[in-house]
Amino acid sequence: MKIVNLYSTLFFAFFISCSSINKNQVVKVNSSNKTSSKFEPNDDDCLVFIGQDLEAIGGLDNYSKGYCDTFEMPAGITLYTGFTPNKESYGYFQKGNDGLKSIVNWGAGDTCLQCILDDDDFKNTMISIGLSMVDNEKKVALGEHDDLIRELGTWIKNSKRPVFLRIGYEFDGWSWNHYKKKYYLEAWKRIHTKFKEMNVANVAFVWQSKGNGSNQQVLDDWYPGDEFVDWCAYSYFDNPDTEMLTFARKHQKPVFIAEATPTLSIDGLYFNSRLDNPKVAYEAWEKWFTPFFKTINDNKDVIKAFSYINANWSKQPMWITNSVFQQVDSRIQISDSISKKWKEELMNPRYLKASPSLFEKLEN
């Protein structure tokens, strides 16, 4: 999800269709020689997250038809905020840290991180926060948004649970995020430094690529550095790319598939992915879900978390004219066949969900 609109969907579709995969070049890291990262689960375990708006997540009094009303409570939920004051998005004018303490909607569904903390049903779940800095990375880097950094750091610290912070997620989404590398990297390091000064110990710093079109040189150029990054991450739509997996193995970092939803395409043209249609659901399972889980299971040494976007994209203003997502309704619960197969896959004990002992299973 992007807090701002995708300005050039044709450009996005081009990158989605240009994956450079060579599995023969992937060299897995010997886990016995690897130092665990912040909140990394043990051995082959994989954390299950669900996002990316309140209706999609469910499990709340006023949002009771989502994922958490149908399936086991996930290990974590994914929501968004931003250091983007005064930016307008679908009629909503941002103030900074929007959606952190109250319900807001900037065109992609209601979001509210505090709502999750306030509901006892979510007491054993972690949180993944997508933090946008679009058009503000220079201000963050120069200290002009230190008040927002402190507000977010205080909120995370008071949450008293593991929080995964994806600073400037999809940094290489050139056509919709258009970050400037110099200030992006300086902003990342400033946030990290400020949090350290505040003793915010319950946060893992997650560095997320869009997941396609960026080779090892691009990733090297945009990498904040091992001392500033706990997890590498990427988005998985129609792109089983391995560039980030290769990069993460080189740097001995776990990987978080931080955004994933079934998009189906032929030669870069996207079509119906509404899972309430049995024929579409069958095709989606064969062409998207099966390769998705195969990617996770073939790379147990490095992929340690994923977040599935369980949303009706086609009804949200941000996406109704977007060529990639305008025909996507990825809610698993609207398909009996996918619900059944999803439950069967997640019965594997390696997929970690919410439990009273979950936090104890993670590297601190």
Side-chain angles (χ1 to χ4, degrees):
M1 185 196 78
K2 289 81 192 171
I3 292 181
V4 294
N5 194 11
L6 302 186
Y7 295 105
S8 173
T9 55
L10 289 177
F11 190 82
F12 179 77
F14 168 78
F15 272 118
I16 289 291
S17 64
C18 294
S19 175
S20 56
I21 302 173
N22 187 343
K23 292 185 178 180
N24 293 328
Q25 294 179 351
V26 174
V27 179
K28 295 188 176 182
V29 174
N30 184 342
S31 60
S32 64
N33 297 326
K34 180 180 176 299
T35 301
S36 294
S37 290
K38 189 79 172 180
F39 303 144
E40 182 177 352
N42 295 325
D43 302 325
D44 295 334
D45 290 344
C46 182
L47 299 165
V48 178
F49 284 70
I50 295 294
Q52 58 189 3
D53 62 81
L54 297 181
E55 184 177 351
I57 296 165
L60 300 165
D61 290 343
N62 295 325
Y63 304 88
S64 57
K65 296 181 180 179
Y67 181 94
C68 297
D69 303 293
T70 309
F71 305 99
E72 287 184 80
M73 186 67 72
I77 60 91
T78 292
L79 288 170
Y80 292 76
T81 190
F83 293 165
T84 53
N86 303 315
K87 179 173 286 295
E88 187 273 339
S89 180
Y90 295 88
Y92 178 80
F93 287 86
Q94 310 214 17
K95 302 174 183 63
N97 282 325
D98 303 80
L100 188 65
K101 300 176 182 178
S102 61
I103 298 173
V104 300
N105 189 325
W106 47 72
D110 290 353
T111 188
C112 173
L113 286 149
Q114 189 63 43
C115 294
I116 300 299
L117 295 192
D118 291 343
D119 193 295
D120 195 56
D121 290 340
F122 289 89
K123 64 183 178 182
N124 296 316
T125 59
M126 301 176 292
I127 291 175
S128 171
I129 302 176
L131 176 66
S132 175
M133 303 185 296
V134 175
D135 297 325
N136 280 263
E137 67 272 24
K138 183 176 181 178
K139 291 181 178 180
V140 175
L142 297 179
E144 295 179 30
H145 287 333
D146 281 358
D147 57 334
L148 297 178
I149 295 175
R150 286 190 291 269
E151 182 183 25
L152 178 60
T154 298
W155 187 91
I156 291 174
K157 192 173 183 178
N158 291 339
S159 75
K160 301 186 186 303
R161 67 185 69 198
V163 174
F164 294 73
L165 183 64
R166 296 153 42 217
I167 300 172
Y169 56 92
E170 296 184 330
F171 60 86
D172 49 354
W174 319 124
S175 61
W176 60 90
N177 285 336
H178 47 80
Y179 286 121
K180 299 296 188 293
K181 181 173 65 177
K182 169 182 168 62
Y183 294 114
Y184 170 85
L185 292 173
E186 290 179 3
W188 179 290
K189 293 172 184 178
R190 188 173 190 89
I191 294 169
H192 188 282
T193 299
K194 292 296 181 184
F195 276 26
K196 187 174 182 180
E197 291 173 357
M198 295 173 64
N199 295 315
V200 183
N202 59 318
V203 63
F205 292 89
V206 183
W207 178 67
Q208 180 187 348
S209 164
K210 71 181 185 298
N212 229 326
S214 293
N215 59 28
Q216 295 300 300
Q217 185 60 58
V218 171
L219 298 180
D220 280 333
D221 290 345
W222 283 78
Y223 187 53
D226 286 343
E227 68 271 35
F228 297 102
V229 173
D230 296 306
W231 289 62
C232 292
Y234 70 108
S235 299
Y236 186 115
F237 295 111
D238 192 26
N239 54 304
D241 194 15
T242 60
E243 290 289 349
M244 186 55 83
L245 302 185
T246 299
F247 185 90
R249 285 188 174 102
K250 287 192 301 184
H251 290 265
Q252 297 193 17
K253 301 290 184 181
V255 169
F256 191 158
I257 299 180
E259 300 181 40
T261 209
T263 56
L264 304 174
S265 70
I266 298 176
D267 297 329
L269 298 177
Y270 290 80
F271 59 94
N272 189 345
S273 293
R274 296 187 177 98
L275 299 184
D276 58 347
N277 183 317
K279 182 178 179 181
V280 171
Y282 174 83
E283 187 170 24
W285 187 267
E286 295 298 314
K287 294 185 177 180
W288 190 88
F289 285 93
T290 297
F292 175 67
F293 282 119
K294 185 176 190 304
T295 297
I296 293 172
N297 288 306
D298 284 352
N299 296 280
K300 294 178 181 179
D301 66 303
V302 65
I303 298 178
K304 298 300 184 72
F306 74 84
S307 184
Y308 181 82
I309 302 172
N310 191 61
N312 187 354
W313 301 74
S314 66
K315 297 296 185 182
Q316 297 180 351
M318 185 176 287
W319 312 111
I320 55 178
T321 60
N322 182 277
S323 64
V324 178
F325 300 111
Q326 65 184 174
Q327 298 188 76
V328 178
D329 185 348
S330 58
R331 294 174 295 167
I332 297 172
Q333 67 270 20
I334 64 175
S335 169
D336 291 340
S337 63
I338 290 184
S339 292
K340 181 176 182 293
K341 292 174 181 177
W342 179 269
K343 288 179 180 178
E344 290 173 351
E345 175 67 30
L346 264 62
M347 283 179 62
N348 188 319
R350 71 177 295 255
Y351 294 113
L352 300 182
K353 296 102 171 175
S355 73
S357 63
L358 174 63
F359 300 167
E360 299 172 3
K361 298 178 181 179
L362 307 179
E363 181 67 32
N364 290 315

